[in-house]
Amino acid sequence: MTDSEINSDYYLVDDFLNDEERAIRLKVRAFADAEVLPIINDYWDRAAFPFELIPKIAGLGIVGGTIEGYGCPGLSRLGAGMVSLEMSRADGSINTFIGVQSGLTMGTINMLGSEEQKQRWLPGLAALDLVGAFGLTEPNHGSDSVALETSARLDGAHYVLNGAKRWIGNASFADVVVIWARDEADARVKAFVMEKNPDGSFPEGYDATVITGKVGKRAILQPDIVITNLRIPAENRLVNGHSFKDAVRVLNSTRGGASWEALGHGIAAYEAAVAYARDRVQFGKPIGSYQLVQNKLANMLAELTAMQLLCFRLATLADQGKMTGAMASLAKMHTAQKARWICQEARDMLGGNGLLLENHVARHLTDMEVVHTYEGTDSIQSLLIGRDITGISAFA
């Protein structure tokens, strides 16, 4: 390492990667640096999605993550972690697009679908010929999604759905949308796959309106959805989804991805802060020569290193089948808190320049506000962990 390079891997955790995982990291980093970073600030500023990147992402061969078969790459958990880390190191919106596609949409179908359903949808999603979305959160049910109100009623060969969803990434243009609804027959929450019509239009009863005015993740389109007598073929109900517990299984499997994303934002902010501290001259010296700045950088690196160790260990436990939901919650809670703090410290260190998109830190900071909230806030994660610690649920 030369003096100009920035070491954000202080405890050499990359040594835990095998050759394939290291190659994935390098490939995704090169793509992010060449294709995402040069254009993303403009899209973020306009709150527009860079559709031009979809075929390029497809060419990476990473969509589908850890899923084996059906045209998916069958990555290890560490390999999938490298995808999330390097994409979010460039931009959170693009990482969310991939996460919704690979983890939430494809993960749900792979986990809860029949073999016929997997064959029907996963290959197209893996090739990005189809774009997916995952509809769980509702206007009145975020942290308490277990109480979701969207209903499904069997009517002959179709289910008729009514309700509303909110913050559903990709759902304003997705070809396939997994919609979680409560079956009126038994009051259990189940998953239904809505498909676009052959002409590319949405079926009658599905109305998506993109949410505007966001301060974070501005380059991912997240609409409100109004569902009115939406008819979905009965054969599109995922056959192994029997209750909300199955939705929790999906979320537990993807929560590690949110931790890797937090790590990616933290790395980007830390590296920007180090580069700025070396180059920015105030009072005749680089600000990196001052004790206050060095203390900040040392503490940022310490938290970053702890995040890396958590993420790497969680991935290993997942590959070994030993990861629990509470373990995933611990990683998500800790990494979201610390990455948010690192981004705040980096923004502060850059002063007024930290407010400019051209320096990237402000984008990572506001995107971390989103990561801090989605897939379970740190408060909810703490209650999940607390229940595991005490054996007592603090939920109402």
Side-chain angles (χ1 to χ4, degrees):
M1 186 179 69
T2 67
D3 288 343
S4 62
E5 292 177 332
I6 297 170
N7 180 15
S8 54
D9 181 17
Y10 217 59
Y11 274 20
L12 309 180
V13 293
D14 273 8
D15 288 353
F16 294 125
L17 301 176
N18 61 32
D19 290 344
E20 179 181 358
E21 293 158 350
R22 190 170 291 107
I24 291 167
R25 179 171 195 172
L26 293 173
K27 177 172 69 173
V28 177
R29 175 173 287 202
F31 172 85
D33 287 347
E35 303 290 348
V36 178
L37 278 175
I39 67 170
I40 198 59
N41 283 338
D42 175 62
Y43 280 99
W44 194 97
D45 198 28
R46 293 187 288 113
F49 179 76
F51 286 97
E52 67 196 78
L53 290 181
I54 291 180
K56 297 178 181 181
I57 293 170
L60 288 174
I62 58 171
V63 178
T66 60
I67 299 172
E68 296 182 354
Y70 314 102
C72 300
L75 303 176
S76 68
R77 293 286 178 173
L78 276 178
M82 294 303 103
V83 173
S84 296
L85 186 157
E86 292 299 340
M87 281 297 182
S88 57
R89 178 179 168 270
D91 180 66
S93 296
I94 303 306
N95 183 66
T96 293
F97 170 79
I98 296 171
V100 169
Q101 180 83 2
S102 293
L104 292 173
T105 307
M106 297 178 69
T108 301
I109 294 170
N110 184 61
M111 189 177 294
L112 305 180
S114 67
E115 182 59 30
E116 184 277 331
Q117 289 172 327
K118 295 177 189 179
Q119 293 285 356
R120 182 176 170 189
W121 290 307
L122 289 180
L125 289 164
L128 273 175
D129 294 330
L130 301 174
V131 171
F134 177 90
L136 177 62
T137 300
E138 297 186 352
N140 295 321
H141 299 287
S143 295
D144 72 336
S145 291
V146 65
L148 65 83
E149 298 176 48
T150 299
S151 64
R153 173 178 53 84
L154 185 61
D155 179 27
H158 291 77
Y159 279 92
V160 180
L161 274 64
N162 283 279
K165 299 293 179 180
R166 186 164 174 78
W167 299 113
I168 311 303
N170 302 347
S172 58
F173 59 91
D175 304 285
V176 173
V177 183
V178 177
I179 301 175
W180 293 88
R182 193 175 303 279
D183 190 343
E184 292 183 0
D186 58 10
R188 290 180 175 271
V189 173
K190 299 172 184 177
F192 304 84
V193 178
M194 188 211 74
E195 299 175 277
K196 274 185 174 177
N197 295 320
D199 65 358
S201 64
F202 286 122
E204 184 178 355
Y206 180 92
D207 183 25
T209 302
V210 174
I211 298 169
T212 59
K214 296 189 301 178
V215 300
K217 298 268 187 174
R218 288 174 55 81
I220 185 76
L221 304 182
Q222 295 170 299
D224 283 316
I225 304 172
V226 176
I227 300 168
T228 309
N229 294 324
L230 172 64
R231 299 183 69 85
I232 295 179
E235 65 188 26
N236 284 24
R237 182 181 71 80
L238 296 179
V239 299
N240 296 313
H242 305 296
S243 72
F244 189 77
K245 290 182 179 179
D246 294 309
V248 172
R249 287 170 54 206
V250 174
L251 294 175
N252 283 341
S253 71
T254 61
R255 201 156 279 148
S259 299
W260 284 109
E261 178 181 357
L263 177 57
H265 287 298
I267 288 174
Y270 169 75
E271 291 178 344
V274 173
Y276 192 81
R278 289 174 175 177
D279 295 338
R280 176 68 167 173
V281 174
Q282 291 288 279
F283 304 104
K285 294 191 296 183
I287 64 171
S289 67
Y290 295 112
Q291 292 179 1
L292 283 174
V293 172
Q294 291 191 8
N295 178 267
K296 283 179 177 284
L297 292 173
N299 280 280
M300 291 163 72
L301 180 59
E303 297 295 0
L304 194 67
T305 301
M307 290 165 59
Q308 290 170 329
L309 294 171
L310 269 176
C311 287
F312 272 74
R313 179 56 180 163
L314 189 70
T316 300
L317 290 169
D319 275 337
Q320 294 173 347
K322 297 178 181 178
M323 184 189 78
T324 66
M327 289 177 181
S329 290
L330 183 69
K332 203 280 181 175
M333 179 185 72
H334 182 83
T335 55
Q337 289 173 346
K338 299 308 180 182
R340 185 193 201 189
W341 176 81
I342 290 170
C343 290
Q344 290 170 339
E345 289 293 287
R347 212 294 306 156
D348 181 69
M349 193 176 299
L350 268 66
N353 290 325
L355 300 173
L356 299 175
L357 278 178
E358 67 188 56
N359 294 315
H360 303 296
V361 170
R363 177 166 48 80
H364 287 289
L365 173 59
T366 56
D367 282 359
M368 265 311 306
E369 290 297 327
V370 181
V371 180
H372 195 259
T373 298
Y374 73 8
E375 296 208 33
T377 66
D378 67 332
S379 297
I380 292 297
Q381 303 299 349
S382 71
L383 297 182
L384 294 171
I385 300 162
R387 183 175 60 188
D388 193 57
I389 294 169
T390 66
I392 304 169
S393 177
F395 290 93

